[in-house]
Amino acid sequence: MIRNYIKIAWRNIRKNKGFSLLNMSGLTIGITCFLLLATYIYHEFSYERFLSHADRIAYFSLSYKAPNSPEMVSSSTTPTGLQQTLQSDFPEVEQASRLYPYIQGGLVDIGNQSLKENKLIYADKNIFEILDYDFIEGNKKHVLDEPNQIVLTETLAKKYFPNESAINKTLIIDKVNWKVSGVIADMPSNTQFRFSAILSNQGLARYKEASWNSANDITIGLLKTDQSFQSVQLKLDNLVKDKFSESIKQGYEFGFKVEKLSDIHLHSKTAGTGNILYVYILMALGIALIVLTCINFTNLILANAIERKKEIGVKKVLGAGRKTIFFQFLFECSLMILISLIISLVATWLLLPLFGHFMGVEMQINFWNKPIFYIAILAFFIILSLLAGGWPAYSISSSKPISIFRSKLIEKQTGISLSKVLIVFQFCISIFFIICTLFAGQQMEFIQSKNTGLDRSDILVLDGRGWQDKERQLLKDKLSQLNSVKGVTASYDSPVNIQGGYTINEVEGQAPDFSIDVTAIPIEKDFVSVFNIKSIAGSSLSDTDILRARDTVAPENSFIINTLAATAMGWTPKDAIGKKINLNGRKGTVKQVVESFNFKSLHNEITPVVLFPEYGYFGNIFIKLHAGVPTQDALNQIKTIVKEIATKNNYDYHFLNDDFNQLYLQDQQTTRAMQLFSFITISIACMGLFALSTYTVQQRMKEIGIRKIVGASVIKIVSLLSVDFLRLVVIALAISIPFGWFAMHKWLDNFAYHIELDWWIFILAGGSALLISFLTISYQTVRAAMVNPIDCLRDE
C-alpha cells in the first residue's frame, strides 16, 4: 500500500512539473536558509564546548570603582596574585592558570629576515591541564615546565619547520631563544582564545611576587565539580574584603566574578566577543523563515488542489475513502519535502563557507558525523511533513464530491478562513523584518557618518611593535618631508578603542581622598593635531614636555584631558590648565583640555579620558595622508622609507577606519543577515499570497462571469478582487508596527548614540509591503477579470 502511495505521489509530481518545481523551490530556499542560520547559531553556542571539561572551566574577571567615579569599571583581566590564591586557598579549584599577552613586538628571526607574529601569549605550566587541546607532538604535562619553552600551533610549526618535526628546535623571538616543546592542533573558530603559540611564563619578573596592585592577567580555573561556581563566588566576595581592605576603607570598591568559560562569548559584558541579543534575533528569523515556508507550502498545495478537482472527485465517486485520499496527498507532500530537504542539505554544505564569510565567522559542520544529527533531521522531516502537508491532506480528503464538482474543495465555513489567517501571519513577520532591516540600516549609516570628535579619515596604521625609539623618530622625520603625508604620530592603543584603565588621585583643589577612574593612553607628541581633536583650553605638547616626561631621575608629566575629565575633577576647561594630578603614580600638570571624543564603540557613552606622553612602547604608528594624493602612490612612498629604516620590520598596514568598523562587525553582520533573509521572507510571503489569490480567484470564477455579464468593467473586478487581499496586508501592517517599534527600541538601547524611531520608516515599510502585495496578486486578478464569461459559466 505504501509503495503504491509513493508511486502515485511521484507520478503526480512529475505530471505537475511546473507546480512541483515552484513549491519545492520555495521549500528548498526556506529550509536551506533555516539550516544555515541554525548552523551559525549552533556555532555561537558552541564556544569552548570542544574542551573535555567545558562545564567545569571558570573564567575570573574584576570590577572596581574609585570613590568619586559614578559606576563600576569592568575588566577582563585580574591581578597576578589571584591564580596563586585560587590554587592554594580554594579547595573547590582543581587547577588555576594565567594567560598574559606577549605585546612587545614578536619578531621571529628566520634566515636573513624577521617575521612578525602577533598572536603570542604567555601561560603557566599547568595551562594544558585546564585547556586540554589536542597535542600533535610533545607531552602536555611538561611542555611549559622550564623557562624559554614554547608550544606552537600546527600552522606555525609548519611555517617555520616545514617537512620536519618542530620538537626541540629553536625559535628566535626578539633575540631570545625559545625551545619548541610541543605542537598542538590549530585553534577552532569557536574559542575565545586566539593564539599561534604559548610561551612559558617561568622566569618572568612580573610573576616573582603575588601582586594585587594591577590587573593584567587572564585567569581561568578548573573546578572540581560544575556545581562549585556559587561557592567559589562567595569565597571571592570574602577575598575582596581581605586583599583590598585598606583601599575599601578609603572608599574604593572591588569585586571578582566567576563565570563559566563556555558562557563568556555570548553572556559576558566584560570579556565576551559575541552578543546573545543578535543570536536571539537570528534565531527568531530562522524560526520565522521555516514557519513562513510551511505556510507557503500549505497554501500552494491547496491552490493546486483546485486544478485537480476532477481527479479527486472521480476518486471519491468511485469509492475512495477519506483515509485513502488523506494518505495519498500526505505522501505526495512528504515526498516533495524529502526531495527539498535532501537538496537543502547539499546546498547548505556547499553554501556554508560563503555564508561563514558573509557572517565573518569560519564555521565548520563538525556535527554531521554524530547520530544525534540524523535523528534531528528525521524529526525535522516528520514535523515538517505534518505541519506543511497534514493540513492540505486533511482539507482535501474532507471535501464532499458535490462540492468538488462545484469547484469548492472545502465546504463553506463560518468564521475566519485559515488561509487568510496564515497570509496575515506571513505578512506580519515579513513587515516586522522589513521595519527592523530599515532601522538597522539607518543605524549603521548613522555610525559611519557620526562625528566622533576624532578625524579617522585617511589615517594609515602601521604596527608599532618592534620599532626602536630612534627608528620611529627617523621614520617620522622622513615621512614628514613627503608631499603625500600630512602628519605622523603614535600611541599605545588604537584611538578608536582605548582600553587602558587608570585612576587619578592627589587632585589639586580636592580633598586628599578624592579619586576617579579614567581611561588613559600613552601618546606621541603630535597625537592631538594629527587626529584633529578640538582644543578647548591650554596648548599642545612641546618638545620640552617630552623631555621632562622622559627624564629618568625626576620625570614631570604633562597631561591632556577631555572636558568630561575636567568636569569630574571640579574644573572648567580654563581652570584645569596648570592643575596638578597623579595618574597611577605619574605626577604632573594638566597642559591641555580637549573636546570629549568617542574613543570606544558608540555602544558606550563618552567617559573621562587622559592622554599623556610616554615613549616606552607604542603599539601603533599613525600616518595622516593628504586627501588629494593618490593613495597607492602614497603607500609606495611610505613602503620605501619603512624598508630603508627598519629592514626587518614588515610593512603591515591598514586604515584606521578598518579598526573603527571592526567595533561594529557583529552589528553589521547581523544587519546584513537581516537584509538578506528579510528579502527572502517577503519573497516567500508573496508566494503564499500568490497561491491564495489563485485559490480565491478560481473559487469565484462564476461570480466574476456573472458580474461581467451584468456590466462590471475590468477595473471594477480587479479592484473588487484586490481589495480583499490588500486588506489582509493592512491588517498585518497594523499588527506588526507595534512589535517592530518595540523591538527596535530595545535594540537601539544597546547604543549610547543612535537614531530616532522616525515615523516615515514605518510608512515606507507599509507602503513597500502594499506595493509588493499588489504586484503579486495583480497577475491573477487581471487575468481573471479579462476572462470570457462563457468560459466561467459553462462548467455548470
Side-chain angles (χ1 to χ4, degrees), residues 264-277:
I264 292 296
H265 176 63
L266 291 177
H267 299 282
S268 175
K269 294 182 179 180
T270 303
T273 55
N275 190 325
I276 189 63
L277 174 63

Side-chain angles (χ1 to χ4, degrees), residues 358-374:
F358 180 77
M359 296 299 293
V361 177
E362 185 182 345
M363 292 182 291
Q364 299 173 345
I365 305 180
N366 54 8
F367 49 81
W368 282 37
N369 58 349
K370 298 178 181 179
I372 188 67
F373 170 74
Y374 296 99

Side-chain angles (χ1 to χ4, degrees), residues 303-342:
N304 179 254
I306 296 295
E307 301 290 337
R308 297 172 59 184
K309 61 183 185 296
K310 291 182 180 178
E311 171 199 340
I312 299 167
V314 169
K315 283 184 177 182
K316 288 224 168 193
V317 169
L318 293 177
R322 176 175 175 180
K323 182 178 178 181
T324 302
I325 301 295
F326 174 82
F327 280 108
Q328 177 192 323
F329 273 86
L330 182 61
F331 269 84
E332 192 171 319
C333 294
S334 298
L335 186 58
M336 283 194 283
I337 291 170
L338 180 61
I339 295 171
S340 300
L341 182 58
I342 293 172

Side-chain angles (χ1 to χ4, degrees), residues 16-156:
N16 301 283
K17 290 186 179 69
F19 160 78
S20 300
L21 184 61
L22 175 66
N23 211 350
M24 287 192 292
S25 297
L27 201 58
T28 301
I29 292 171
I31 296 174
T32 301
C33 293
F34 175 79
L35 291 175
L36 288 172
L37 284 170
T39 304
Y40 175 78
I41 292 166
Y42 173 85
H43 176 273
E44 288 297 287
F45 278 111
S46 69
Y47 268 63
E48 320 303 340
R49 296 287 180 185
F50 61 90
L51 297 169
S52 301
H53 311 297
D55 290 336
R56 292 196 286 132
I57 301 177
Y59 186 99
F60 298 89
S61 57
L62 172 70
S63 57
Y64 57 90
K65 187 176 86 69
N68 301 97
S69 293
E71 58 185 19
M72 298 286 282
V73 176
S74 297
S75 171
S76 60
T77 54
T78 56
T80 60
L82 178 62
Q83 181 263 350
Q84 297 177 20
T85 302
L86 291 170
Q87 194 85 30
S88 59
D89 299 345
F90 283 60
E92 299 91 346
V93 178
E94 188 174 307
Q95 295 286 344
S97 189
R98 297 163 297 193
L99 297 164
Y100 177 69
Y102 186 106
I103 59 174
Q104 297 290 338
L107 284 176
V108 180
D109 291 334
I110 180 79
N112 296 322
Q113 62 176 333
S114 293
L115 301 179
K116 188 163 291 182
E117 294 298 337
N118 298 326
K119 297 180 181 180
L120 307 179
I121 192 167
Y122 291 105
D124 285 308
K125 62 182 181 181
N126 64 343
I127 187 66
F128 295 115
E129 294 184 43
I130 302 172
L131 305 175
D132 56 341
Y133 298 133
D134 294 333
F135 266 76
I136 298 173
E137 293 183 279
N139 184 345
K140 69 177 182 180
K141 292 185 178 180
H142 303 291
V143 288
L144 298 178
D145 284 354
E146 303 295 331
N148 298 100
Q149 287 185 320
I150 184 171
V151 175
L152 308 180
T153 56
E154 185 177 8
T155 297
L156 205 65

